[in-house]
């Protein structure tokens, strides 16, 4: 597996963000990225049905799609990737690996598990980008993201729900610490301006970002490492459950057909009108 995935690292890196590109273009894509746990009452992360059919029966599919379906979607994709390994279909293995990795990582972001996903309900608008983008942008070169050898998951459903539970438990500190630091920083100290290409953009200052990182005690780094390990565990589990095919004996790189499909999708995405969708849309 290591050799197969390593030889396709460029494909996986480029296409790991493809689900975000589809988010406002493909109907039904947006809910796959999050789950607003707090829409369902106290301790809902422990009480929500683990089977999607059971959740639909209890809440209705419209409600589920409105509040996010990320853990159920990951389980569905786990079954699809397992089937791709069984079929020894290189294109589907790589496509599903990249997509599923994105959704698993989303489940590891605390603000992907709450209706207050961008601090918009508490006067902290912009916190999503601070946690998910600004801190890694400034500090990830010093992160230790080594997660060790992949482990087989005897219950993939339990594994992705454990990620959601872990993420949701961190929501309070994510919001509280930012609010505490904001009280200590003047506006012109909290934000600054940086050059991005030909544009000058407003961004959280380096001092505020580093203080937030310290206040969180390395939480973003831990969650990134946890996400990387969990993605590897899911890929490995799908391979085992798919019959442990010898990946040295199948096509090693994406086919020309797959490359053409990706090029076509990129062109369609570039010209398609952006459609507002309900959910985490900031």
């Amino acid at each position: 597996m290591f050799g197969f995935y390593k030889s396709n690292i460029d494909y996986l890196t480029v296409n790991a963000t493809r689900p975000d590109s589809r988010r406002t273009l493909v109907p039904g894509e947006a809910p796959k990225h999050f789950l607003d746990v707090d829409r369902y009452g106290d301790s809902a992360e422990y009480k929500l049905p683990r089977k999607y059919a059971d959740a639909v029966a209890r809440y209705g599919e419209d409600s589920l799609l409105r509040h996010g379906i990320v853990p159920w979607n990951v389980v569905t994709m786990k079954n699809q990737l397992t089937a791709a390994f069984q079929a020894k279909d290189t294109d589907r293995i790589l496509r599903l690996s990249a997509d599923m990795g994105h959704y698993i990582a989303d489940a590891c972001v605390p603000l992907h598990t709450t209706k207050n996903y961008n601090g918009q309900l508490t006067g902290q608008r912009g916190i999503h980008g601070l946690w998910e983008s600004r801190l890694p942008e400034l500090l990830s070169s010093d992160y230790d993201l080594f997660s060790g050898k992949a482990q087989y998951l005897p219950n993939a459903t339990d594994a992705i729900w454990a990620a959601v539970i872990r993420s949701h438990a961190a929501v309070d500190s994510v919001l509280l610490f930012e609010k505490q630091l904001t009280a200590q920083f003047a506006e012109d100290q909290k934000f600054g301006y940086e050059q991005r290409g030909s544009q000058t953009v407003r961004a959280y200052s380096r001092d505020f970002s580093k203080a937030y990182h310290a206040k969180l005690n390395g939480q973003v780094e831990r969650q990134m490492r946890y996400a990387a390990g969990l993605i590897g565990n899911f890929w490995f589990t799908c391979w085992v459950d798919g019959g442990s095919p010898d990946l040295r004996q199948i096509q090693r790189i994406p086919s020309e057909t797959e490359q053409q499909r990706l090029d076509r999708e990129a062109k369609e995405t570039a010209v398609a009108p952006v459609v507002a969708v309900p959910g985490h849309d900031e």
Side-chain angles (χ1 to χ4, degrees):
M1 285 193 76
F2 183 87
F4 176 80
Y5 278 97
K6 187 70 172 179
S7 64
N8 288 290
I9 190 65
D10 290 339
Y11 175 101
L12 293 165
T13 301
V14 170
N15 290 289
T17 59
R18 189 174 56 196
D20 276 342
S21 300
R22 296 194 301 258
R23 214 179 157 282
T24 58
L25 302 173
V26 178
E29 173 63 38
K32 297 177 181 178
H33 297 248
F34 66 93
L35 172 62
D36 292 341
V37 172
D38 41 13
R39 295 281 188 183
Y40 295 95
D42 186 51
S43 301
E45 62 270 37
Y46 298 99
K47 301 173 184 176
L48 283 165
R50 284 358 188 194
K51 291 184 178 179
Y52 189 64
D54 294 341
V56 170
R58 181 180 298 182
Y59 299 106
E61 191 159 36
D62 287 348
S63 178
L64 291 174
L65 293 175
R66 190 159 54 250
H67 303 317
I69 59 170
V70 64
W72 296 296
N73 177 56
V74 168
V75 172
T76 296
M77 297 202 72
K78 186 271 175 189
N79 295 331
Q80 293 173 345
L81 182 55
T82 298
F85 276 117
Q86 288 174 328
K88 301 178 183 179
D89 185 334
T90 298
D91 288 348
R92 280 183 56 78
I93 290 170
L94 292 173
R95 186 187 319 149
L96 290 166
S97 293
D99 281 0
M100 187 171 71
H102 182 106
Y103 300 123
I104 292 170
D106 275 349
C108 297
V109 177
L111 292 168
H112 278 257
T113 69
T114 174
K115 61 187 178 183
N116 192 23
Y117 55 89
N118 196 25
Q120 76 280 8
L121 303 179
T122 50
Q124 297 171 273
R125 196 178 297 275
I127 192 173
H128 196 121
L130 170 63
W131 193 99
E132 188 179 83
S133 300
R134 184 60 168 162
L135 294 192
E137 175 188 64
L138 293 176
L139 304 167
S140 63
S141 61
D142 293 325
Y143 287 177
D144 175 10
L145 300 179
F146 182 73
S147 57
K149 187 177 180 180
Q151 303 294 316
Y152 179 79
L153 301 171
N155 190 315
T157 297
D158 286 351
I160 192 59
W161 277 95
V164 170
I165 290 168
R166 173 184 168 123
S167 295
H168 192 62
V171 170
D172 286 348
S173 60
V174 168
L175 294 166
L176 175 63
F177 294 157
E178 192 276 346
K179 189 172 285 289
Q180 290 175 343
L181 283 174
T182 296
Q184 300 170 19
F185 279 72
E187 183 76 4
D188 61 351
Q189 294 176 322
K190 180 178 179 180
F191 295 101
Y193 291 89
E194 295 187 354
Q195 198 70 22
R196 304 282 177 89
S198 60
Q199 292 185 316
T200 301
V201 298
R202 185 172 185 259
Y204 288 93
S205 71
R206 292 173 180 266
D207 287 345
F208 184 87
S209 300
K210 290 178 179 178
Y212 187 50
H213 170 77
K215 194 85 167 171
L216 288 169
N217 194 29
Q219 182 190 76
V220 175
E221 177 182 0
R222 289 195 305 276
Q223 287 300 104
M224 286 183 70
R225 183 167 57 244
Y226 175 75
L230 189 58
I231 291 167
N233 292 345
F234 264 89
W235 287 351
F236 178 61
T237 300
C238 292
W239 175 74
V240 172
D241 290 350
S244 305
D246 187 345
L247 301 183
R248 295 168 298 183
Q249 303 302 317
I250 69 172
Q251 180 181 305
R252 297 284 290 178
I253 59 175
S255 67
E256 183 63 30
T257 300
E258 172 68 0
Q259 295 290 359
Q260 291 172 355
R261 187 192 67 79
L262 290 172
D263 291 343
R264 184 170 61 252
E265 184 179 293
K267 291 176 182 177
E268 292 171 352
T269 299
V271 300
V274 175
V275 179
V277 293
H280 294 199
D281 53 359
E282 295 186 52

